[in-house]
PDB file of all heavy atoms in Angstrom:
ATOM      1  N   ILE T   4     -20.259 -11.111 -77.826  1.00 65.00           N
ATOM      2  CA  ILE T   4     -20.683  -9.727 -77.796  1.00 65.00           C
ATOM      3  C   ILE T   4     -21.241  -9.249 -79.144  1.00 65.00           C
ATOM      4  O   ILE T   4     -21.837  -8.193 -79.220  1.00 65.00           O
ATOM      5  CB  ILE T   4     -19.545  -8.774 -77.333  1.00 65.00           C
ATOM      6  CG1 ILE T   4     -18.390  -8.778 -78.301  1.00 65.00           C
ATOM      7  CG2 ILE T   4     -19.157  -9.097 -75.923  1.00 65.00           C
ATOM      8  CD1 ILE T   4     -17.352  -7.721 -78.018  1.00 65.00           C
ATOM      9  N   ILE T  10     -24.442  -6.036 -73.799  1.00 91.00           N
ATOM     10  CA  ILE T  10     -22.983  -5.980 -73.665  1.00 91.00           C
ATOM     11  C   ILE T  10     -22.446  -4.797 -74.477  1.00 91.00           C
ATOM     12  O   ILE T  10     -21.551  -4.065 -74.015  1.00 91.00           O
ATOM     13  CB  ILE T  10     -22.322  -7.300 -74.120  1.00 91.00           C
ATOM     14  CG1 ILE T  10     -22.733  -8.445 -73.187  1.00 91.00           C
ATOM     15  CG2 ILE T  10     -20.801  -7.161 -74.173  1.00 91.00           C
ATOM     16  CD1 ILE T  10     -22.318  -8.283 -71.732  1.00 91.00           C
ATOM     17  N   LYS T  11     -22.979  -4.560 -75.662  1.00 92.00           N
ATOM     18  CA  LYS T  11     -22.541  -3.393 -76.449  1.00 92.00           C
ATOM     19  C   LYS T  11     -22.781  -2.098 -75.710  1.00 92.00           C
ATOM     20  O   LYS T  11     -21.933  -1.218 -75.697  1.00 92.00           O
ATOM     21  CB  LYS T  11     -23.245  -3.386 -77.807  1.00 92.00           C
ATOM     22  CG  LYS T  11     -22.767  -4.442 -78.754  1.00 92.00           C
ATOM     23  CD  LYS T  11     -23.532  -4.350 -80.067  1.00 92.00           C
ATOM     24  CE  LYS T  11     -23.088  -5.451 -81.015  1.00 92.00           C
ATOM     25  NZ  LYS T  11     -23.848  -5.409 -82.302  1.00 92.00           N
ATOM     26  N   PHE T  12     -23.952  -2.015 -75.049  1.00 95.00           N
ATOM     27  CA  PHE T  12     -24.241  -0.824 -74.237  1.00 95.00           C
ATOM     28  C   PHE T  12     -23.214  -0.685 -73.120  1.00 95.00           C
ATOM     29  O   PHE T  12     -22.670   0.396 -72.881  1.00 95.00           O
ATOM     30  CB  PHE T  12     -25.650  -0.912 -73.650  1.00 95.00           C
ATOM     31  CG  PHE T  12     -25.906   0.095 -72.571  1.00 95.00           C
ATOM     32  CD1 PHE T  12     -26.117   1.417 -72.859  1.00 95.00           C
ATOM     33  CD2 PHE T  12     -25.878  -0.314 -71.242  1.00 95.00           C
ATOM     34  CE1 PHE T  12     -26.331   2.357 -71.839  1.00 95.00           C
ATOM     35  CE2 PHE T  12     -26.087   0.605 -70.213  1.00 95.00           C
ATOM     36  CZ  PHE T  12     -26.302   1.942 -70.526  1.00 95.00           C
ATOM     37  N   LEU T  13     -22.970  -1.795 -72.402  1.00 96.00           N
ATOM     38  CA  LEU T  13     -22.010  -1.723 -71.297  1.00 96.00           C
ATOM     39  C   LEU T  13     -20.608  -1.350 -71.776  1.00 96.00           C
ATOM     40  O   LEU T  13     -19.897  -0.639 -71.104  1.00 96.00           O
ATOM     41  CB  LEU T  13     -21.991  -3.065 -70.536  1.00 96.00           C
ATOM     42  CG  LEU T  13     -23.206  -3.337 -69.668  1.00 96.00           C
ATOM     43  CD1 LEU T  13     -23.143  -4.731 -69.081  1.00 96.00           C
ATOM     44  CD2 LEU T  13     -23.342  -2.292 -68.556  1.00 96.00           C
ATOM     45  N   LEU T  14     -20.210  -1.843 -72.938  1.00 96.00           N
ATOM     46  CA  LEU T  14     -18.884  -1.520 -73.471  1.00 96.00           C
ATOM     47  C   LEU T  14     -18.793  -0.050 -73.852  1.00 96.00           C
ATOM     48  O   LEU T  14     -17.757   0.601 -73.671  1.00 96.00           O
ATOM     49  CB  LEU T  14     -18.535  -2.414 -74.640  1.00 96.00           C
ATOM     50  CG  LEU T  14     -18.229  -3.863 -74.276  1.00 96.00           C
ATOM     51  CD1 LEU T  14     -17.987  -4.708 -75.521  1.00 96.00           C
ATOM     52  CD2 LEU T  14     -17.044  -3.949 -73.312  1.00 96.00           C
ATOM     53  N   ASP T  15     -19.907   0.542 -74.334  1.00 97.00           N
ATOM     54  CA  ASP T  15     -19.914   1.996 -74.572  1.00 97.00           C
ATOM     55  C   ASP T  15     -19.686   2.755 -73.266  1.00 97.00           C
ATOM     56  O   ASP T  15     -18.951   3.723 -73.220  1.00 97.00           O
ATOM     57  CB  ASP T  15     -21.239   2.419 -75.219  1.00 97.00           C
ATOM     58  CG  ASP T  15     -21.371   2.031 -76.674  1.00 97.00           C
ATOM     59  OD1 ASP T  15     -20.346   1.700 -77.312  1.00 97.00           O
ATOM     60  OD2 ASP T  15     -22.518   2.033 -77.172  1.00 97.00           O
ATOM     61  N   GLU T  16     -20.337   2.283 -72.212  1.00 97.00           N
ATOM     62  CA  GLU T  16     -20.162   2.875 -70.881  1.00 97.00           C
ATOM     63  C   GLU T  16     -18.723   2.701 -70.381  1.00 97.00           C
ATOM     64  O   GLU T  16     -18.141   3.600 -69.795  1.00 97.00           O
ATOM     65  CB  GLU T  16     -21.168   2.322 -69.896  1.00 97.00           C
ATOM     66  CG  GLU T  16     -22.616   2.627 -70.228  1.00 97.00           C
ATOM     67  CD  GLU T  16     -22.926   4.104 -70.263  1.00 97.00           C
ATOM     68  OE1 GLU T  16     -22.671   4.805 -69.267  1.00 97.00           O
ATOM     69  OE2 GLU T  16     -23.437   4.574 -71.314  1.00 97.00           O
ATOM     70  N   VAL T  17     -18.191   1.524 -70.605  1.00 98.00           N
ATOM     71  CA  VAL T  17     -16.791   1.240 -70.235  1.00 98.00           C
ATOM     72  C   VAL T  17     -15.873   2.239 -70.895  1.00 98.00           C
ATOM     73  O   VAL T  17     -14.960   2.805 -70.251  1.00 98.00           O
ATOM     74  CB  VAL T  17     -16.380  -0.184 -70.606  1.00 98.00           C
ATOM     75  CG1 VAL T  17     -14.887  -0.382 -70.657  1.00 98.00           C
ATOM     76  CG2 VAL T  17     -17.018  -1.191 -69.634  1.00 98.00           C
ATOM     77  N   TRP T  18     -16.087   2.530 -72.168  1.00 98.00           N
ATOM     78  CA  TRP T  18     -15.241   3.502 -72.848  1.00 98.00           C
ATOM     79  C   TRP T  18     -15.427   4.910 -72.343  1.00 98.00           C
ATOM     80  O   TRP T  18     -14.449   5.665 -72.260  1.00 98.00           O
ATOM     81  CB  TRP T  18     -15.418   3.391 -74.369  1.00 98.00           C
ATOM     82  CG  TRP T  18     -14.619   2.250 -74.883  1.00 98.00           C
ATOM     83  CD1 TRP T  18     -15.058   1.036 -75.355  1.00 98.00           C
ATOM     84  CD2 TRP T  18     -13.177   2.204 -74.966  1.00 98.00           C
ATOM     85  NE1 TRP T  18     -13.987   0.242 -75.688  1.00 98.00           N
ATOM     86  CE2 TRP T  18     -12.830   0.928 -75.477  1.00 98.00           C
ATOM     87  CE3 TRP T  18     -12.152   3.103 -74.646  1.00 98.00           C
ATOM     88  CZ2 TRP T  18     -11.506   0.551 -75.660  1.00 98.00           C
ATOM     89  CZ3 TRP T  18     -10.841   2.723 -74.835  1.00 98.00           C
ATOM     90  CH2 TRP T  18     -10.534   1.450 -75.343  1.00 98.00           C
ATOM     91  N   LEU T  19     -16.627   5.293 -71.966  1.00 97.00           N
ATOM     92  CA  LEU T  19     -16.817   6.609 -71.348  1.00 97.00           C
ATOM     93  C   LEU T  19     -16.016   6.721 -70.063  1.00 97.00           C
ATOM     94  O   LEU T  19     -15.334   7.734 -69.853  1.00 97.00           O
ATOM     95  CB  LEU T  19     -18.311   6.839 -71.038  1.00 97.00           C
ATOM     96  CG  LEU T  19     -19.230   7.202 -72.194  1.00 97.00           C
ATOM     97  CD1 LEU T  19     -20.692   7.209 -71.736  1.00 97.00           C
ATOM     98  CD2 LEU T  19     -18.831   8.546 -72.786  1.00 97.00           C
ATOM     99  N   PHE T  22     -12.050   6.661 -70.988  1.00 98.00           N
ATOM    100  CA  PHE T  22     -11.531   7.944 -71.479  1.00 98.00           C
ATOM    101  C   PHE T  22     -11.632   9.023 -70.407  1.00 98.00           C
ATOM    102  O   PHE T  22     -10.719   9.849 -70.273  1.00 98.00           O
ATOM    103  CB  PHE T  22     -12.234   8.378 -72.756  1.00 98.00           C
ATOM    104  CG  PHE T  22     -11.813   7.609 -73.974  1.00 98.00           C
ATOM    105  CD1 PHE T  22     -12.748   6.990 -74.794  1.00 98.00           C
ATOM    106  CD2 PHE T  22     -10.479   7.490 -74.322  1.00 98.00           C
ATOM    107  CE1 PHE T  22     -12.366   6.267 -75.911  1.00 98.00           C
ATOM    108  CE2 PHE T  22     -10.070   6.770 -75.425  1.00 98.00           C
ATOM    109  CZ  PHE T  22     -11.016   6.165 -76.228  1.00 98.00           C
ATOM    110  N   THR T  42     -13.210  13.576 -80.626  1.00 97.00           N
ATOM    111  CA  THR T  42     -14.087  12.406 -80.735  1.00 97.00           C
ATOM    112  C   THR T  42     -13.516  11.407 -81.737  1.00 97.00           C
ATOM    113  O   THR T  42     -13.507  10.190 -81.494  1.00 97.00           O
ATOM    114  CB  THR T  42     -15.489  12.836 -81.177  1.00 97.00           C
ATOM    115  OG1 THR T  42     -16.051  13.676 -80.143  1.00 97.00           O
ATOM    116  CG2 THR T  42     -16.423  11.651 -81.411  1.00 97.00           C
ATOM    117  N   ASN T  43     -13.011  11.888 -82.854  1.00 98.00           N
ATOM    118  CA  ASN T  43     -12.404  10.983 -83.847  1.00 98.00           C
ATOM    119  C   ASN T  43     -11.165  10.270 -83.294  1.00 98.00           C
ATOM    120  O   ASN T  43     -10.927   9.119 -83.580  1.00 98.00           O
ATOM    121  CB  ASN T  43     -12.080  11.760 -85.134  1.00 98.00           C
ATOM    122  CG  ASN T  43     -13.335  12.113 -85.918  1.00 98.00           C
ATOM    123  OD1 ASN T  43     -14.374  11.519 -85.769  1.00 98.00           O
ATOM    124  ND2 ASN T  43     -13.198  13.128 -86.765  1.00 98.00           N
ATOM    125  N   PHE T  44     -10.389  10.993 -82.517  1.00 98.00           N
ATOM    126  CA  PHE T  44      -9.220  10.381 -81.895  1.00 98.00           C
ATOM    127  C   PHE T  44      -9.653   9.277 -80.942  1.00 98.00           C
ATOM    128  O   PHE T  44      -9.093   8.167 -80.953  1.00 98.00           O
ATOM    129  CB  PHE T  44      -8.387  11.426 -81.162  1.00 98.00           C
ATOM    130  CG  PHE T  44      -7.218  10.826 -80.421  1.00 98.00           C
ATOM    131  CD1 PHE T  44      -6.132  10.270 -81.103  1.00 98.00           C
ATOM    132  CD2 PHE T  44      -7.188  10.842 -79.020  1.00 98.00           C
ATOM    133  CE1 PHE T  44      -5.074   9.693 -80.410  1.00 98.00           C
ATOM    134  CE2 PHE T  44      -6.112  10.286 -78.345  1.00 98.00           C
ATOM    135  CZ  PHE T  44      -5.057   9.714 -79.055  1.00 98.00           C
ATOM    136  N   LYS T  45     -10.650   9.533 -80.095  1.00 98.00           N
ATOM    137  CA  LYS T  45     -11.134   8.517 -79.166  1.00 98.00           C
ATOM    138  C   LYS T  45     -11.680   7.318 -79.909  1.00 98.00           C
ATOM    139  O   LYS T  45     -11.455   6.161 -79.500  1.00 98.00           O
ATOM    140  CB  LYS T  45     -12.204   9.098 -78.251  1.00 98.00           C
ATOM    141  CG  LYS T  45     -11.640  10.082 -77.244  1.00 98.00           C
ATOM    142  CD  LYS T  45     -12.771  10.727 -76.434  1.00 98.00           C
ATOM    143  CE  LYS T  45     -12.232  11.821 -75.547  1.00 98.00           C
ATOM    144  NZ  LYS T  45     -13.346  12.535 -74.866  1.00 98.00           N
ATOM    145  N   LYS T  46     -12.368   7.529 -81.024  1.00 98.00           N
ATOM    146  CA  LYS T  46     -12.878   6.427 -81.802  1.00 98.00           C
ATOM    147  C   LYS T  46     -11.726   5.575 -82.352  1.00 98.00           C
ATOM    148  O   LYS T  46     -11.786   4.358 -82.379  1.00 98.00           O
ATOM    149  CB  LYS T  46     -13.765   6.915 -82.959  1.00 98.00           C
ATOM    150  CG  LYS T  46     -15.112   7.381 -82.538  1.00 98.00           C
ATOM    151  CD  LYS T  46     -15.926   7.867 -83.730  1.00 98.00           C
ATOM    152  CE  LYS T  46     -17.285   8.386 -83.308  1.00 98.00           C
ATOM    153  NZ  LYS T  46     -18.055   8.940 -84.437  1.00 98.00           N
ATOM    154  N   ALA T  47     -10.679   6.262 -82.789  1.00 98.00           N
ATOM    155  CA  ALA T  47      -9.499   5.544 -83.330  1.00 98.00           C
ATOM    156  C   ALA T  47      -8.817   4.722 -82.255  1.00 98.00           C
ATOM    157  O   ALA T  47      -8.442   3.575 -82.492  1.00 98.00           O
ATOM    158  CB  ALA T  47      -8.543   6.543 -83.975  1.00 98.00           C
ATOM    159  N   ILE T  48      -8.660   5.313 -81.071  1.00 98.00           N
ATOM    160  CA  ILE T  48      -8.061   4.569 -79.943  1.00 98.00           C
ATOM    161  C   ILE T  48      -8.897   3.392 -79.568  1.00 98.00           C
ATOM    162  O   ILE T  48      -8.402   2.280 -79.366  1.00 98.00           O
ATOM    163  CB  ILE T  48      -7.843   5.521 -78.719  1.00 98.00           C
ATOM    164  CG1 ILE T  48      -6.765   6.571 -79.048  1.00 98.00           C
ATOM    165  CG2 ILE T  48      -7.474   4.732 -77.477  1.00 98.00           C
ATOM    166  CD1 ILE T  48      -5.376   6.029 -79.299  1.00 98.00           C
ATOM    167  N   ARG T  49     -10.216   3.584 -79.477  1.00 98.00           N
ATOM    168  CA  ARG T  49     -11.111   2.480 -79.119  1.00 98.00           C
ATOM    169  C   ARG T  49     -10.987   1.339 -80.134  1.00 98.00           C
ATOM    170  O   ARG T  49     -10.864   0.177 -79.769  1.00 98.00           O
ATOM    171  CB  ARG T  49     -12.565   2.953 -79.047  1.00 98.00           C
ATOM    172  CG  ARG T  49     -13.521   1.826 -78.730  1.00 98.00           C
ATOM    173  CD  ARG T  49     -14.960   2.288 -78.612  1.00 98.00           C
ATOM    174  NE  ARG T  49     -15.813   1.145 -78.378  1.00 98.00           N
ATOM    175  CZ  ARG T  49     -17.101   1.223 -78.033  1.00 98.00           C
ATOM    176  NH1 ARG T  49     -17.670   2.416 -77.889  1.00 98.00           N
ATOM    177  NH2 ARG T  49     -17.811   0.132 -77.820  1.00 98.00           N
ATOM    178  N   SER T  50     -11.009   1.686 -81.418  1.00 97.00           N
ATOM    179  CA  SER T  50     -10.902   0.687 -82.458  1.00 97.00           C
ATOM    180  C   SER T  50      -9.554  -0.070 -82.357  1.00 97.00           C
ATOM    181  O   SER T  50      -9.533  -1.295 -82.466  1.00 97.00           O
ATOM    182  CB  SER T  50     -11.029   1.348 -83.844  1.00 97.00           C
ATOM    183  OG  SER T  50     -10.874   0.389 -84.841  1.00 97.00           O
ATOM    184  N   PHE T  51      -8.484   0.664 -82.145  1.00 98.00           N
ATOM    185  CA  PHE T  51      -7.157   0.023 -81.992  1.00 98.00           C
ATOM    186  C   PHE T  51      -7.170  -0.965 -80.827  1.00 98.00           C
ATOM    187  O   PHE T  51      -6.721  -2.115 -80.957  1.00 98.00           O
ATOM    188  CB  PHE T  51      -6.069   1.057 -81.820  1.00 98.00           C
ATOM    189  CG  PHE T  51      -4.717   0.454 -81.655  1.00 98.00           C
ATOM    190  CD1 PHE T  51      -3.983   0.024 -82.752  1.00 98.00           C
ATOM    191  CD2 PHE T  51      -4.135   0.301 -80.387  1.00 98.00           C
ATOM    192  CE1 PHE T  51      -2.734  -0.560 -82.585  1.00 98.00           C
ATOM    193  CE2 PHE T  51      -2.889  -0.278 -80.206  1.00 98.00           C
ATOM    194  CZ  PHE T  51      -2.183  -0.706 -81.335  1.00 98.00           C
ATOM    195  N   VAL T  52      -7.651  -0.530 -79.668  1.00 98.00           N
ATOM    196  CA  VAL T  52      -7.651  -1.392 -78.489  1.00 98.00           C
ATOM    197  C   VAL T  52      -8.509  -2.598 -78.730  1.00 98.00           C
ATOM    198  O   VAL T  52      -8.126  -3.746 -78.452  1.00 98.00           O
ATOM    199  CB  VAL T  52      -8.085  -0.614 -77.228  1.00 98.00           C
ATOM    200  CG1 VAL T  52      -8.323  -1.536 -76.057  1.00 98.00           C
ATOM    201  CG2 VAL T  52      -7.032   0.456 -76.873  1.00 98.00           C
ATOM    202  N   GLU T  53      -9.740  -2.391 -79.252  1.00 96.00           N
ATOM    203  CA  GLU T  53     -10.665  -3.523 -79.417  1.00 96.00           C
ATOM    204  C   GLU T  53     -10.214  -4.495 -80.483  1.00 96.00           C
ATOM    205  O   GLU T  53     -10.411  -5.702 -80.338  1.00 96.00           O
ATOM    206  CB  GLU T  53     -12.058  -3.006 -79.724  1.00 96.00           C
ATOM    207  CG  GLU T  53     -12.717  -2.359 -78.553  1.00 96.00           C
ATOM    208  CD  GLU T  53     -14.126  -1.820 -78.808  1.00 96.00           C
ATOM    209  OE1 GLU T  53     -14.488  -1.656 -80.003  1.00 96.00           O
ATOM    210  OE2 GLU T  53     -14.853  -1.596 -77.847  1.00 96.00           O
ATOM    211  N   LYS T  54      -9.589  -4.020 -81.547  1.00 96.00           N
ATOM    212  CA  LYS T  54      -9.199  -4.888 -82.645  1.00 96.00           C
ATOM    213  C   LYS T  54      -7.787  -5.462 -82.515  1.00 96.00           C
ATOM    214  O   LYS T  54      -7.540  -6.596 -82.888  1.00 96.00           O
ATOM    215  CB  LYS T  54      -9.340  -4.162 -83.988  1.00 96.00           C
ATOM    216  CG  LYS T  54     -10.804  -3.909 -84.325  1.00 96.00           C
ATOM    217  CD  LYS T  54     -10.953  -3.166 -85.634  1.00 96.00           C
ATOM    218  CE  LYS T  54     -12.436  -2.959 -85.908  1.00 96.00           C
ATOM    219  NZ  LYS T  54     -12.680  -1.917 -86.861  1.00 96.00           N
ATOM    220  N   GLN T  55      -6.858  -4.659 -82.006  1.00 96.00           N
ATOM    221  CA  GLN T  55      -5.468  -5.076 -81.941  1.00 96.00           C
ATOM    222  C   GLN T  55      -5.055  -5.671 -80.588  1.00 96.00           C
ATOM    223  O   GLN T  55      -4.244  -6.578 -80.523  1.00 96.00           O
ATOM    224  CB  GLN T  55      -4.543  -3.893 -82.268  1.00 96.00           C
ATOM    225  CG  GLN T  55      -4.778  -3.309 -83.621  1.00 96.00           C
ATOM    226  CD  GLN T  55      -4.574  -4.303 -84.760  1.00 96.00           C
ATOM    227  OE1 GLN T  55      -3.629  -5.036 -84.763  1.00 96.00           O
ATOM    228  NE2 GLN T  55      -5.467  -4.275 -85.732  1.00 96.00           N
ATOM    229  N   LEU T  56      -5.593  -5.096 -79.509  1.00 97.00           N
ATOM    230  CA  LEU T  56      -5.135  -5.517 -78.170  1.00 97.00           C
ATOM    231  C   LEU T  56      -6.092  -6.463 -77.488  1.00 97.00           C
ATOM    232  O   LEU T  56      -5.661  -7.509 -76.957  1.00 97.00           O
ATOM    233  CB  LEU T  56      -4.901  -4.297 -77.282  1.00 97.00           C
ATOM    234  CG  LEU T  56      -3.911  -3.233 -77.788  1.00 97.00           C
ATOM    235  CD1 LEU T  56      -3.728  -2.143 -76.775  1.00 97.00           C
ATOM    236  CD2 LEU T  56      -2.576  -3.862 -78.185  1.00 97.00           C
ATOM    237  N   GLN T  57      -7.364  -6.151 -77.457  1.00 95.00           N
ATOM    238  CA  GLN T  57      -8.311  -6.974 -76.710  1.00 95.00           C
ATOM    239  C   GLN T  57      -8.311  -8.431 -77.056  1.00 95.00           C
ATOM    240  O   GLN T  57      -8.372  -9.279 -76.141  1.00 95.00           O
ATOM    241  CB  GLN T  57      -9.755  -6.424 -76.855  1.00 95.00           C
ATOM    242  CG  GLN T  57     -10.696  -7.246 -76.001  1.00 95.00           C
ATOM    243  CD  GLN T  57     -12.168  -6.923 -76.237  1.00 95.00           C
ATOM    244  OE1 GLN T  57     -12.505  -6.060 -77.030  1.00 95.00           O
ATOM    245  NE2 GLN T  57     -13.020  -7.651 -75.572  1.00 95.00           N
ATOM    246  N   LEU T  76       0.217   0.908 -78.079  1.00 98.00           N
ATOM    247  CA  LEU T  76      -0.792   1.992 -78.057  1.00 98.00           C
ATOM    248  C   LEU T  76      -0.095   3.345 -78.198  1.00 98.00           C
ATOM    249  O   LEU T  76      -0.580   4.211 -78.937  1.00 98.00           O
ATOM    250  CB  LEU T  76      -1.633   1.941 -76.790  1.00 98.00           C
ATOM    251  CG  LEU T  76      -2.709   3.036 -76.662  1.00 98.00           C
ATOM    252  CD1 LEU T  76      -3.685   2.999 -77.851  1.00 98.00           C
ATOM    253  CD2 LEU T  76      -3.453   2.893 -75.347  1.00 98.00           C
ATOM    254  N   TYR T  79       0.924   3.669 -81.799  1.00 98.00           N
ATOM    255  CA  TYR T  79      -0.250   3.960 -82.605  1.00 98.00           C
ATOM    256  C   TYR T  79      -0.675   5.423 -82.440  1.00 98.00           C
ATOM    257  O   TYR T  79      -1.053   6.074 -83.442  1.00 98.00           O
ATOM    258  CB  TYR T  79      -1.412   3.035 -82.238  1.00 98.00           C
ATOM    259  CG  TYR T  79      -2.679   3.412 -82.976  1.00 98.00           C
ATOM    260  CD1 TYR T  79      -2.828   3.108 -84.319  1.00 98.00           C
ATOM    261  CD2 TYR T  79      -3.695   4.106 -82.334  1.00 98.00           C
ATOM    262  CE1 TYR T  79      -3.964   3.481 -85.009  1.00 98.00           C
ATOM    263  CE2 TYR T  79      -4.836   4.464 -82.991  1.00 98.00           C
ATOM    264  CZ  TYR T  79      -4.973   4.163 -84.331  1.00 98.00           C
ATOM    265  OH  TYR T  79      -6.104   4.563 -85.024  1.00 98.00           O
ATOM    266  N   ILE T 100      -5.336   3.911 -70.071  1.00 98.00           N
ATOM    267  CA  ILE T 100      -6.324   3.463 -71.030  1.00 98.00           C
ATOM    268  C   ILE T 100      -6.378   1.939 -71.036  1.00 98.00           C
ATOM    269  O   ILE T 100      -7.442   1.332 -70.877  1.00 98.00           O
ATOM    270  CB  ILE T 100      -6.005   3.972 -72.451  1.00 98.00           C
ATOM    271  CG1 ILE T 100      -6.235   5.487 -72.530  1.00 98.00           C
ATOM    272  CG2 ILE T 100      -6.896   3.248 -73.497  1.00 98.00           C
ATOM    273  CD1 ILE T 100      -5.712   6.130 -73.793  1.00 98.00           C
ATOM    274  N   TYR T 104      -9.466  -0.137 -69.147  1.00 98.00           N
ATOM    275  CA  TYR T 104     -10.312  -0.927 -70.025  1.00 98.00           C
ATOM    276  C   TYR T 104     -10.279  -2.412 -69.601  1.00 98.00           C
ATOM    277  O   TYR T 104     -11.323  -3.038 -69.439  1.00 98.00           O
ATOM    278  CB  TYR T 104      -9.855  -0.788 -71.481  1.00 98.00           C
ATOM    279  CG  TYR T 104     -10.636  -1.633 -72.434  1.00 98.00           C
ATOM    280  CD1 TYR T 104     -11.924  -1.276 -72.794  1.00 98.00           C
ATOM    281  CD2 TYR T 104     -10.114  -2.804 -72.934  1.00 98.00           C
ATOM    282  CE1 TYR T 104     -12.673  -2.070 -73.645  1.00 98.00           C
ATOM    283  CE2 TYR T 104     -10.852  -3.598 -73.789  1.00 98.00           C
ATOM    284  CZ  TYR T 104     -12.130  -3.239 -74.137  1.00 98.00           C
ATOM    285  OH  TYR T 104     -12.881  -4.036 -74.982  1.00 98.00           O
TER     286      TYR T 104
END
Side-chain angles (χ1 to χ4, degrees):
I4 63 171
I10 296 297
K11 287 179 182 179
F12 166 76
L13 287 174
L14 289 175
D15 286 342
E16 296 299 305
V17 161
W18 279 107
L19 283 173
F22 285 127
T42 298
N43 288 339
F44 176 67
K45 289 175 187 174
K46 285 179 182 177
I48 292 296
R49 178 178 178 170
S50 178
F51 178 81
V52 170
E53 289 180 342
K54 291 179 179 162
Q55 302 299 318
L56 303 183
Q57 183 190 357
L76 179 58
Y79 174 75
I100 291 170
Y104 178 75

